Amino acid sequence: MSSTTKSWIWFAVLLTLIAGAGIYVGTNRRAEPGKSFSYSVDDYRQVDPALLRYAEADGLRPAIKKLSALAVAPDGKIYVAGENAIEIFPDRTVRPVDGTPVCIAVDDDGTVFAGLRDHIEVVSKDGKSTAWPSPGEKACLTSVAVDDRYVYAADAGSRRVWRYGKAGGAPFEIGAKDEANGVRGFYIPSPFFDLAIGTDGSLWVVNPGYHALENYSPEGRLISSWQNSSFGIQGFSGCCNPANFALMPDGSFVTAEKGLPRVKIHNLDGSLRCVVAAPDQFDNGVTGLDVAADRQGRVYVLDPARGVVRIFEEKK
Amino acid sequence: MKTTKRRDFIKNLARGAVLAGIAGVCGMLGLRKNKYQCSGRCGTCKPANGGVCPLDSAAGSGFVWQLDPEKCTQCGRCATHCVLAPSAVKCFHSYSICGYCDLCGGYLRPDAKERNTGAENQLCPTAAIRRKFIEDPYYQYTIDEELCIGCGKCVRGCSTFGNGSLYLQVKHNLCVNCNECAIARACPSDAFRRVPASEPYLLKSNQEKRIS
Amino acid sequence: MIPAFKFQVSDFAVRVSEFRFPMPEFASGYKHPAVYTPAPSSLMAGWDIVALIAALTLAAIFVLKRRKRREIFLLTLFSLIYFGFWRNGCICAVGSVQNVAAGFFNPAFGVPLTVLIFFAAPLIFALLFGRVFCAAVCPLGAIQEAVAIKPVKVPPAVEKVLSIAPVIYLGLAMLSVAAGAGFLICRYDPFVGFFRMGASFSLLIFGGLMLVLGIFVARPYCRFLCPYGVLLNWASKLSRRHATITPAECIRCGLCADSCPYNAISEPSPEAAPETRGRGARRLGLLILLLPVLVALGAGTGSLLREPLSRMHPTVRLAERIAGEELGRYTGNTIESAAFRASDTPNEKLYAEAVALKERFGRGGKWFGAFIGLVIGCKLIGVSIRRKRTDYEPDRGTCYSCGRCFKYCPVKASCREKPAGSTPDTAEFRQY
């Protein structure tokens, strides 16, 4: 074999070896993690269609940004809180607020009690704001409710409910641990702590860590409670659910959850009545869903991810 | 008397030029102020914390790789793409964010029948999370780093159903600090970046008690 | 320059202080455990610089003054153990080229001093003393030297043609850095898997194959792939002092050229001129005229190759995947496309980025192609110029100063005393 031929063979062999190895390295992919390393809750996202008894109607599109809270006033108007403002439907008036309210409640005369992170701000009908002093340095207010006598503020940071008079002042403490009277204390892992006032004037409060709804008298005495922990549709999943709730005109509970976002209605004894909105009707991982119900039984859901208030009505 | 040939003269000239070039390059790159991927989070440039940006001096501590937990999508590639086996990425637990829940989203499987330490109820494929009762109704969860492989399953569970106190971080006693991190290249959400070696962690909370 | 071992006590303000939801109140007085945050062990960087400079200096002394193959080889083994296995082969001078380039192309890329020194020191030593870095300091060269037991000669023509491969590799690596597609050299470094005892399966196979090849074809990576070697080659051509084969007059026995596995020793020019001067001059003129043609051709080709080149960049690959999924060409998601869809970025922004990147690769490809064309042209010119040589000389560009030829040269220093022209005593011939 002549040396030129030998050279060419050498050349071809070396080139093939190096190029081949390089291509092999370049195109070889690492294995992806297998099934035992993947986490999926897709099974729980399915909801039996028979349970879905509410249909979505046209929603509201507020002009303000960063929607954070929702409330239905006794006169039927819808109050939506967002960045430094509160918008009122159907008039679409906007009332400025000093900060973004985490929660709001509306009185008979249109006064708005807005919970900013560590204190309550009272915004009167003509736009005047009064700030109440903060209930404590750990304060993290997550819900406000008002009836004709009292203003209740749920403080997730201090793990208490504060009861104020309509004019403010020093609050009365509800929720301190009192084993003898059955008050096991509020177990709150994250700032989702909701309350509402029933038609009889008693206070319904979520105890999120126990997945429970507890009924208190205005003096802080425990009247009753119900709870249900489950990933299934009949209970509440995750660490702190229901993240939000509201009371229907007949006293049943409309609950909104986070983690597996869904809106359901529970009967007075806690059993599941029906599903308003299934997880696939929401964006993945949405938090901050707020619910409210009006006198006609319509369910309003604040969807911060889509920036709208969604309205659900019972199917005929 | 030395006679310099023309070729040698040109060679000397060229050598001098190249030396000057190298010196110039090194000077330019070494002395300039680098705001290399300033995260805006370490706060070392504030006068209260020292006032000197660790990225400003090339004579500083150099750079290491770190995972930004805000961007992480828990795809599981931290466990498979590290050049080391097991991976240098491990799960961190932020105790100040944790809710200490009985029903822990990162510890228990979604379909767990009971809330106990039974292996059939645990989410972690290597059983690297330890659960300990503190007081009613709080439980403490700690990570056994010898067992953790950095797959991120608990991170996903905790972020979805909990406070997000479990998250992945690169442990620098294990990481060999490759010039180009293989995980960084494979990360689908571009969560890896270089941080100064004097501030090598991107923790979720600065309220942790830390030991180095 | 050696940093003291510092304990970074607290004040790790990683988050600007913001409101943190308070922890539960523990009635039992529970205190949560501390989090263990070990600091990186980059504190050896100072020792690396010391070791590098010391090893380079020693290598220069061994090659130029001591001229003993055994000492050079021992230093090579030390470098293999220290820079290779102890320091995990990273950061290495070969990869530092990318960091320096990244520092140039991206004003926000920080290049620490260690990297700059790893880049500059071997080049400076090459400018002064030849490729002593390759001889005894580079861990990649060291591992190849360690396995080069039965070297076989590669025909010089093949060697010459394949010597364009490292230049192409260097150009591609620079292109990749300039366009933000990452560090190619680090990704395809065959030996780093052995040094740090961890790599993907395919990289370990590649490394293994290179080592097996290295038993027979000495230093395959250095000769046919090393991009930094291109720079060292050019620097060494300008070197002030370089390894010489014989300490005294060459007797033209040819044993050195025979022993050199790298074809790095040039023979003395033959007595009679093989071709007329005119013919040689015409050919040279033709090649000089050909040079700009080659450059233009290279630039054109490089620019045309923008599509395949741009696929180096993950954003371009993602854009193609997303576009393919939208058009139905691909079914299902990859992890990347799923993560992209879950993010807020609109598809248009991704496509726009990919198009901009293709433009960048087109421009970069133009420079890359022109560079390759220039190097090929210069190599052709270099081959066609005949230098008159009376002795066997190492080619300053490709000689790695490994010192094998010292072992085989029969002429020893003691022969210097003998008058010129007389034959050396065979009794003086010493074995190493």
Side-chain angles (χ1 to χ4, degrees), chain A residues 129-147:
Chain A
S129 288
T130 325
W132 286 359
S134 170
E137 59 167 31
K138 278 188 166 189
C140 180
L141 302 181
T142 53
S143 187
V144 185
V146 59
D147 67 1

PDB file of all heavy atoms in Angstrom, chain A residues 129-147:
ATOM      1  N   SER A 129     -60.976  58.973  54.753  1.00  0.00           N
ATOM      2  CA  SER A 129     -60.352  57.773  55.318  1.00  0.00           C
ATOM      3  C   SER A 129     -59.931  58.002  56.747  1.00  0.00           C
ATOM      4  O   SER A 129     -59.360  59.038  57.067  1.00  0.00           O
ATOM      5  CB  SER A 129     -59.085  57.414  54.551  1.00  0.00           C
ATOM      6  OG  SER A 129     -59.369  56.902  53.305  1.00  0.00           O
ATOM      7  N   THR A 130     -60.241  57.035  57.591  1.00  0.00           N
ATOM      8  CA  THR A 130     -59.722  57.081  58.967  1.00  0.00           C
ATOM      9  C   THR A 130     -58.969  55.788  59.206  1.00  0.00           C
ATOM     10  O   THR A 130     -59.481  54.715  58.898  1.00  0.00           O
ATOM     11  CB  THR A 130     -60.884  57.134  59.992  1.00  0.00           C
ATOM     12  OG1 THR A 130     -61.946  57.882  59.442  1.00  0.00           O
ATOM     13  CG2 THR A 130     -60.410  57.713  61.298  1.00  0.00           C
ATOM     14  N   ALA A 131     -57.785  55.880  59.745  1.00  0.00           N
ATOM     15  CA  ALA A 131     -57.023  54.669  60.025  1.00  0.00           C
ATOM     16  C   ALA A 131     -57.155  54.323  61.491  1.00  0.00           C
ATOM     17  O   ALA A 131     -56.928  55.162  62.353  1.00  0.00           O
ATOM     18  CB  ALA A 131     -55.550  54.879  59.672  1.00  0.00           C
ATOM     19  N   TRP A 132     -57.533  53.086  61.795  1.00  0.00           N
ATOM     20  CA  TRP A 132     -57.569  52.620  63.180  1.00  0.00           C
ATOM     21  C   TRP A 132     -56.197  52.116  63.557  1.00  0.00           C
ATOM     22  O   TRP A 132     -55.430  51.640  62.702  1.00  0.00           O
ATOM     23  CB  TRP A 132     -58.591  51.483  63.306  1.00  0.00           C
ATOM     24  CG  TRP A 132     -60.005  51.936  63.259  1.00  0.00           C
ATOM     25  CD1 TRP A 132     -60.469  53.221  63.141  1.00  0.00           C
ATOM     26  CD2 TRP A 132     -61.156  51.106  63.315  1.00  0.00           C
ATOM     27  NE1 TRP A 132     -61.832  53.242  63.119  1.00  0.00           N
ATOM     28  CE2 TRP A 132     -62.295  51.963  63.225  1.00  0.00           C
ATOM     29  CE3 TRP A 132     -61.374  49.738  63.434  1.00  0.00           C
ATOM     30  CZ2 TRP A 132     -63.598  51.488  63.252  1.00  0.00           C
ATOM     31  CZ3 TRP A 132     -62.673  49.265  63.453  1.00  0.00           C
ATOM     32  CH2 TRP A 132     -63.775  50.135  63.364  1.00  0.00           C
ATOM     33  N   PRO A 133     -55.842  52.172  64.836  1.00  0.00           N
ATOM     34  CA  PRO A 133     -54.510  51.702  65.236  1.00  0.00           C
ATOM     35  C   PRO A 133     -54.374  50.183  65.020  1.00  0.00           C
ATOM     36  O   PRO A 133     -55.351  49.438  65.037  1.00  0.00           O
ATOM     37  CB  PRO A 133     -54.435  52.042  66.735  1.00  0.00           C
ATOM     38  CG  PRO A 133     -55.830  52.288  67.161  1.00  0.00           C
ATOM     39  CD  PRO A 133     -56.599  52.732  65.975  1.00  0.00           C
ATOM     40  N   SER A 134     -53.159  49.763  64.833  1.00  0.00           N
ATOM     41  CA  SER A 134     -52.903  48.356  64.561  1.00  0.00           C
ATOM     42  C   SER A 134     -53.123  47.527  65.816  1.00  0.00           C
ATOM     43  O   SER A 134     -52.784  47.941  66.909  1.00  0.00           O
ATOM     44  CB  SER A 134     -51.458  48.200  64.092  1.00  0.00           C
ATOM     45  OG  SER A 134     -51.109  46.854  64.036  1.00  0.00           O
ATOM     46  N   PRO A 135     -53.728  46.350  65.699  1.00  0.00           N
ATOM     47  CA  PRO A 135     -53.969  45.543  66.898  1.00  0.00           C
ATOM     48  C   PRO A 135     -52.715  44.904  67.487  1.00  0.00           C
ATOM     49  O   PRO A 135     -52.772  44.304  68.540  1.00  0.00           O
ATOM     50  CB  PRO A 135     -54.935  44.444  66.415  1.00  0.00           C
ATOM     51  CG  PRO A 135     -54.885  44.465  64.948  1.00  0.00           C
ATOM     52  CD  PRO A 135     -54.345  45.762  64.496  1.00  0.00           C
ATOM     53  N   GLY A 136     -51.585  44.998  66.855  1.00  0.00           N
ATOM     54  CA  GLY A 136     -50.389  44.384  67.444  1.00  0.00           C
ATOM     55  C   GLY A 136     -49.293  44.320  66.397  1.00  0.00           C
ATOM     56  O   GLY A 136     -49.539  44.501  65.208  1.00  0.00           O
ATOM     57  N   GLU A 137     -48.070  44.047  66.848  1.00  0.00           N
ATOM     58  CA  GLU A 137     -46.972  44.097  65.886  1.00  0.00           C
ATOM     59  C   GLU A 137     -46.969  42.885  64.967  1.00  0.00           C
ATOM     60  O   GLU A 137     -46.366  42.897  63.915  1.00  0.00           O
ATOM     61  CB  GLU A 137     -45.638  44.222  66.618  1.00  0.00           C
ATOM     62  CG  GLU A 137     -45.376  43.074  67.560  1.00  0.00           C
ATOM     63  CD  GLU A 137     -43.925  43.074  68.024  1.00  0.00           C
ATOM     64  OE1 GLU A 137     -43.348  44.170  68.112  1.00  0.00           O
ATOM     65  OE2 GLU A 137     -43.389  41.997  68.256  1.00  0.00           O
ATOM     66  N   LYS A 138     -47.653  41.810  65.378  1.00  0.00           N
ATOM     67  CA  LYS A 138     -47.680  40.628  64.510  1.00  0.00           C
ATOM     68  C   LYS A 138     -48.879  40.660  63.570  1.00  0.00           C
ATOM     69  O   LYS A 138     -49.152  39.692  62.896  1.00  0.00           O
ATOM     70  CB  LYS A 138     -47.817  39.374  65.384  1.00  0.00           C
ATOM     71  CG  LYS A 138     -46.529  38.876  65.993  1.00  0.00           C
ATOM     72  CD  LYS A 138     -46.860  37.565  66.635  1.00  0.00           C
ATOM     73  CE  LYS A 138     -45.748  36.712  67.038  1.00  0.00           C
ATOM     74  NZ  LYS A 138     -46.214  35.390  67.439  1.00  0.00           N
ATOM     75  N   ALA A 139     -49.602  41.797  63.572  1.00  0.00           N
ATOM     76  CA  ALA A 139     -50.881  41.826  62.867  1.00  0.00           C
ATOM     77  C   ALA A 139     -50.734  41.569  61.390  1.00  0.00           C
ATOM     78  O   ALA A 139     -49.868  42.125  60.732  1.00  0.00           O
ATOM     79  CB  ALA A 139     -51.553  43.173  63.080  1.00  0.00           C
ATOM     80  N   CYS A 140     -51.606  40.695  60.884  1.00  0.00           N
ATOM     81  CA  CYS A 140     -51.699  40.454  59.449  1.00  0.00           C
ATOM     82  C   CYS A 140     -53.170  40.199  59.188  1.00  0.00           C
ATOM     83  O   CYS A 140     -53.650  39.079  59.271  1.00  0.00           O
ATOM     84  CB  CYS A 140     -50.856  39.248  59.082  1.00  0.00           C
ATOM     85  SG  CYS A 140     -50.885  38.866  57.328  1.00  0.00           S
ATOM     86  N   LEU A 141     -53.905  41.280  58.891  1.00  0.00           N
ATOM     87  CA  LEU A 141     -55.349  41.158  58.770  1.00  0.00           C
ATOM     88  C   LEU A 141     -55.714  40.538  57.439  1.00  0.00           C
ATOM     89  O   LEU A 141     -55.217  40.939  56.393  1.00  0.00           O
ATOM     90  CB  LEU A 141     -55.992  42.552  58.885  1.00  0.00           C
ATOM     91  CG  LEU A 141     -55.691  43.291  60.178  1.00  0.00           C
ATOM     92  CD1 LEU A 141     -56.384  44.638  60.186  1.00  0.00           C
ATOM     93  CD2 LEU A 141     -56.147  42.483  61.377  1.00  0.00           C
ATOM     94  N   THR A 142     -56.579  39.537  57.482  1.00  0.00           N
ATOM     95  CA  THR A 142     -56.943  38.852  56.252  1.00  0.00           C
ATOM     96  C   THR A 142     -58.425  38.868  55.968  1.00  0.00           C
ATOM     97  O   THR A 142     -58.850  38.465  54.901  1.00  0.00           O
ATOM     98  CB  THR A 142     -56.502  37.371  56.317  1.00  0.00           C
ATOM     99  OG1 THR A 142     -57.025  36.821  57.521  1.00  0.00           O
ATOM    100  CG2 THR A 142     -55.003  37.241  56.299  1.00  0.00           C
ATOM    101  N   SER A 143     -59.247  39.293  56.936  1.00  0.00           N
ATOM    102  CA  SER A 143     -60.671  39.329  56.653  1.00  0.00           C
ATOM    103  C   SER A 143     -61.353  40.332  57.577  1.00  0.00           C
ATOM    104  O   SER A 143     -60.939  40.507  58.721  1.00  0.00           O
ATOM    105  CB  SER A 143     -61.279  37.948  56.850  1.00  0.00           C
ATOM    106  OG  SER A 143     -62.618  37.947  56.417  1.00  0.00           O
ATOM    107  N   VAL A 144     -62.382  40.981  57.037  1.00  0.00           N
ATOM    108  CA  VAL A 144     -63.158  41.935  57.825  1.00  0.00           C
ATOM    109  C   VAL A 144     -64.642  41.636  57.614  1.00  0.00           C
ATOM    110  O   VAL A 144     -65.053  41.269  56.515  1.00  0.00           O
ATOM    111  CB  VAL A 144     -62.887  43.387  57.369  1.00  0.00           C
ATOM    112  CG1 VAL A 144     -63.601  44.379  58.258  1.00  0.00           C
ATOM    113  CG2 VAL A 144     -61.398  43.670  57.367  1.00  0.00           C
ATOM    114  N   ALA A 145     -65.420  41.770  58.663  1.00  0.00           N
ATOM    115  CA  ALA A 145     -66.863  41.626  58.509  1.00  0.00           C
ATOM    116  C   ALA A 145     -67.536  42.644  59.433  1.00  0.00           C
ATOM    117  O   ALA A 145     -66.983  43.004  60.469  1.00  0.00           O
ATOM    118  CB  ALA A 145     -67.323  40.213  58.857  1.00  0.00           C
ATOM    119  N   VAL A 146     -68.718  43.094  59.022  1.00  0.00           N
ATOM    120  CA  VAL A 146     -69.378  44.135  59.815  1.00  0.00           C
ATOM    121  C   VAL A 146     -70.870  43.850  59.904  1.00  0.00           C
ATOM    122  O   VAL A 146     -71.493  43.389  58.936  1.00  0.00           O
ATOM    123  CB  VAL A 146     -69.099  45.522  59.185  1.00  0.00           C
ATOM    124  CG1 VAL A 146     -69.609  45.589  57.754  1.00  0.00           C
ATOM    125  CG2 VAL A 146     -69.693  46.634  59.996  1.00  0.00           C
ATOM    126  N   ASP A 147     -71.451  44.000  61.094  1.00  0.00           N
ATOM    127  CA  ASP A 147     -72.915  43.988  61.205  1.00  0.00           C
ATOM    128  C   ASP A 147     -73.330  45.269  61.906  1.00  0.00           C
ATOM    129  O   ASP A 147     -72.573  46.230  61.951  1.00  0.00           O
ATOM    130  CB  ASP A 147     -73.411  42.699  61.877  1.00  0.00           C
ATOM    131  CG  ASP A 147     -72.999  42.609  63.347  1.00  0.00           C
ATOM    132  OD1 ASP A 147     -72.349  43.565  63.847  1.00  0.00           O
ATOM    133  OD2 ASP A 147     -73.290  41.599  63.981  1.00  0.00           O
TER     134      ASP A 147
END
